[in-house]
Amino acid sequence: MKHLLLVIGLGLSLTSFATPSYKVIVNGMVCSFCAQGIEKKMKALPETKGVYVELKNHLVVVEAKDGLTISQDTIKKIIKDAGYEVKNIEVSDHPIEHIKSGMDK
């Protein structure tokens, strides 16, 4: 019984350190130049671990560094200042590679 409680406790403590990714749908992002500009600005954030841009679905995924989060207001401001509109932001517990592979759907 003690081992079971220890395993459950460890599992809960590990999930509390999940690194979030932010899946952002961006209106107006239609070319690789658009994507590069947004990617560059997102990567400049000190909290950012990685960025993935998929033009086909107007998707920008921003992954935070371990133990950190990124304010959704910050993400919205960067995209708005670049001349685009944020249609939706969804927080995911999955890393960029998982989202890129399509397993996050």
Side-chain angles (χ1 to χ4, degrees):
M1 185 65 168
K2 288 182 183 179
H3 294 294
L4 178 61
L5 291 175
L6 179 62
V7 169
I8 291 171
L10 284 173
L12 290 175
S13 66
L14 290 175
T15 58
S16 66
F17 294 109
T19 302
S21 292
Y22 303 87
K23 296 169 55 177
V24 186
I25 304 299
V26 180
N27 279 342
M29 186 179 67
V30 294
C31 69
S32 61
F33 183 73
C34 303
Q36 288 174 349
I38 291 173
E39 183 176 3
K40 183 178 179 180
K41 290 179 185 295
M42 290 297 177
K43 282 184 174 180
L45 293 173
E47 305 93 336
T48 300
K49 179 177 181 178
V51 179
Y52 167 66
V53 179
E54 182 185 288
L55 284 173
K56 181 181 175 184
N57 293 313
H58 308 283
L59 175 68
V60 175
V61 181
V62 184
E63 183 177 352
K65 289 180 180 174
D66 293 340
L68 299 178
T69 60
I70 302 170
S71 161
Q72 290 187 29
D73 289 337
T74 299
I75 293 170
K76 288 177 185 176
K77 180 174 178 7
I78 287 171
I79 291 172
K80 183 179 178 186
D81 288 350
Y84 307 101
E85 177 188 5
V86 172
K87 185 174 179 182
N88 185 45
I89 297 181
E90 177 184 332
V91 180
S92 174
D93 291 333
H94 300 293
I96 285 177
E97 292 305 317
H98 185 89
I99 295 168
K100 280 173 69 172
S101 70
M103 294 188 298
D104 196 46
K105 296 179 180 177

